[in-house]
Amino acid sequence: MSKGQRTKAMSKSARDKIKEQQAAARAQERRRKIVTYVAAGAVAVAAVGAGWWYAASNSRSEEASGALAPITVQSDGAAVMAKQGVTGPVVDIYEDFQCPACKELERVSGQTFKNLAAEGLAKVVYHPITIFSQEPTKSNSVRAGSASRCVADGKQWMAFHDLLFENQPPETEPGFQPEQLVQWGKDAGITSPEFEQCVTSGKHAQTQLSYSKKVSDEQKLDHTPTVKLNGIEIDNGVLFSPQELREEITKAAK
Amino acid sequence: MAASQPSHRATSAIPWVTVVARLVLGGVLIVAGALKIGNPTDSVVAVKAYQLLPESVAVPVGYALPMLEIVVGVLLVVGLLTRVAAVVAGLLMFAFVFGIAWAWANGLRIDCGCFGGGGQLAQGQEPTYLLDILRDFGLVLLGAWITRFPPGRLALDGALGLGGDTRDVEDEG
């Protein structure tokens, strides 16, 4: 009320002047708000971007550095990858061809294990086990695991191992079918005539199951992947960060 | 007069309800993000476990998700960019509801991965789809409320004069 009376009393030019000033102040206020809003938004987006970048770079895989260290398939089905004369530190990898986290481990850190073995910094032992107890994952895993037992040559074993993880079926449907396994075996360079028969007959299915049971009990495994460095489980945070993994294993090598 | 009294009180309660909604939704997001952020691979595996996104999309989503949750959660708690943050949070929760419902409908046996964990169920563990969906749907509703009535009290938006409904203040004056 009092405001209206005051304006009435003012001269026209003074009133215009005040209006202009008010408009200018409003415009300035609006600009300030927009700048604040955009700045806050930019900081938020940058923070998300930084988080993504950190996570992505933390999990960046190593490049293949050259030829693999020699691989020998043991009679129990485990595969040992080590340079001649390297006996430690021992890295035991317990993994299931059907387990998605194992596939992720291979994607992120698989190359680090291979490089460390090739550099003579570790003796890496792969133990393909079946951890699943429900269908269809159990049968999938047994088919894949027992098929890997049909490969005698180390180099071919590793190529087959990599192909199995690459082609891992979803956990909800039957997969790792015998004909697929035979094909991937061929892709892996397996030429042995017994391979196909060994895979399709599921020759080593029982061995795969009994080996899994034995190893799981001995090593007290309740999840895959489990990776042990000289018998001590490596923490997941380290395991899935190739750089930290390399540091930890290299430290143990000294 | 007698009728307008309670409705006025109800109106003045709205900003406080928004505060509570912000704290709950923001708090849940911060906790969920913080539990995942130390282990980005778990988060990637969890996203993949839903079998909804192709690998090339699932991997970056898995890496970005924890930090996105934390940032949106912090914005909600402090009440900055409240409306935008509430929309993003609501959409995120809606996507989670959709994902869990999808997993359920397709007979996947997974852990929702909501608070860390690799989306895998340990032996003998049963999925808790209905509970997860109800919780996340409740959070969608909170997001909708905040979007409708931002920014509430104790919000940086209010202090900075950003966005939000100044109408509430006028009504009270």
Side-chain angles (χ1 to χ4, degrees):
Chain A
M1 284 292 126
S2 64
K3 199 178 168 193
Q5 280 164 356
R6 233 190 296 131
T7 25
K8 203 182 262 178
M10 281 177 190
S11 69
K12 197 166 186 246
S13 66
R15 200 190 304 158
D16 286 348
K17 215 174 193 174
I18 288 172
K19 263 188 184 162
E20 272 171 32
Q21 280 172 350
Q22 284 174 338
R26 268 200 302 274
Q28 200 187 356
E29 177 64 10
R30 198 177 314 130
R31 265 200 306 279
R32 187 192 67 80
K33 281 183 189 176
I34 292 174
V35 168
T36 316
Y37 210 89
V38 169
V43 169
V45 171
V48 174
W52 172 80
W53 183 84
Y54 177 77
S57 64
N58 195 39
S59 335
R60 186 170 299 135
S61 304
E62 294 187 3
E63 304 283 327
S65 62
L68 293 176
I71 300 158
T72 12
V73 182
Q74 294 179 341
S75 54
D76 66 353
V80 181
M81 175 171 69
K83 264 178 113 171
Q84 193 86 45
V86 175
T87 52
V90 180
V91 178
D92 284 298
I93 304 176
Y94 302 93
E95 55 185 2
D96 186 320
F97 290 118
Q98 175 65 60
C99 130
C102 305
K103 178 187 164 92
E104 189 65 11
L105 175 69
E106 287 293 334
R107 184 182 76 83
V108 174
S109 299
Q111 192 59 52
T112 304
F113 294 125
K114 290 174 183 159
N115 287 350
L116 287 169
E119 291 159 33
L121 291 169
K123 174 183 168 186
V124 181
V125 189
Y126 294 85
H127 307 262
I129 61 167
T130 295
I131 190 110
F132 292 96
S133 55
Q134 275 172 328
E135 296 301 347
T137 41
K138 183 183 178 189
S139 294
N140 289 356
S141 166
V142 169
R143 274 195 294 276
S146 54
S148 77
R149 294 170 176 275
C150 299
V151 190
D153 177 85
K155 229 181 197 155
Q156 294 169 357
W157 187 94
M158 185 54 75
F160 189 58
H161 159 275
D162 292 350
L163 278 172
L164 289 182
F165 277 116
E166 258 171 54
N167 294 295
Q168 184 182 83
E171 290 181 274
T172 44
E173 50 195 68
F176 286 139
Q177 302 292 357
E179 57 275 26
Q180 293 177 309
L181 295 167
V182 169
Q183 182 55 48
W184 294 325
K186 282 181 186 148
D187 296 345
I190 299 165
T191 47
S192 150
E194 297 93 49
F195 178 71
E196 183 165 351
Q197 158 70 15
C198 177
V199 171
T200 46
S201 66
K203 189 176 167 192
H204 297 303
Q206 271 316 311
T207 324
Q208 170 72 14
L209 282 168
S210 55
Y211 176 78
S212 302
K213 169 114 184 48
K214 178 172 154 273
V215 168
S216 298
D217 290 349
E218 277 173 10
Q219 300 292 332
K220 298 183 175 58
L221 304 178
D222 60 358
H223 60 271
T224 51
T226 298
V227 179
K228 294 189 176 180
L229 174 58
N230 289 333
I232 297 160
E233 180 167 354
I234 299 178
D235 187 65
N236 258 4
V238 175
L239 197 51
F240 286 95
S241 164
Q243 204 184 333
E244 288 180 42
L245 180 64
R246 167 172 283 273
E247 276 166 25
E248 182 133 339
I249 295 176
T250 316
K251 235 187 329 182
K254 276 170 194 159
Chain B
M1 282 306 265
S4 80
Q5 196 64 14
S7 89
H8 183 81
R9 206 180 299 148
T11 320
S12 65
I14 286 178
W16 290 107
V17 176
T18 305
V19 172
V20 173
R22 268 171 35 212
L23 291 178
V24 172
L25 183 55
V28 168
L29 280 167
I30 291 172
V31 170
L35 287 173
K36 280 182 277 209
I37 201 156
N39 207 336
T41 321
D42 262 10
S43 164
V44 171
V45 173
V47 174
K48 281 186 184 170
Y50 283 93
Q51 301 171 19
L52 255 172
L53 302 171
E55 167 133 3
S56 55
V57 182
V59 173
V61 166
Y63 286 154
L65 198 54
M67 194 59 177
L68 179 67
E69 288 181 327
I70 290 178
V71 167
V72 172
V74 168
L75 287 178
L76 282 173
V77 167
V78 302
L80 185 60
L81 312 181
T82 311
R83 182 168 260 166
V84 180
V87 169
V88 174
L91 289 177
L92 262 180
M93 288 303 163
F94 187 75
F96 296 155
V97 169
F98 179 80
I100 297 166
W102 155 278
W104 197 359
N106 282 275
L108 304 187
R109 286 180 41 84
I110 58 174
D111 173 84
C112 74
C114 306
F115 297 96
Q120 304 299 312
L121 285 169
Q123 272 185 22
Q125 220 179 328
E126 282 303 310
T128 51
Y129 297 124
L130 186 61
L131 221 64
D132 292 335
I133 288 180
L134 287 178
R135 183 198 57 220
D136 285 358
F137 190 71
L139 294 171
V140 171
L141 294 182
L142 291 186
W145 174 279
I146 303 167
T147 309
R148 173 70 185 81
F149 302 108
R153 292 299 147 87
L154 314 173
L156 275 180
D157 274 348
L160 295 168
L162 294 176
D165 289 338
T166 40
R167 272 176 286 131
D168 294 343
V169 182
E170 281 165 20
D171 288 348
E172 275 170 34

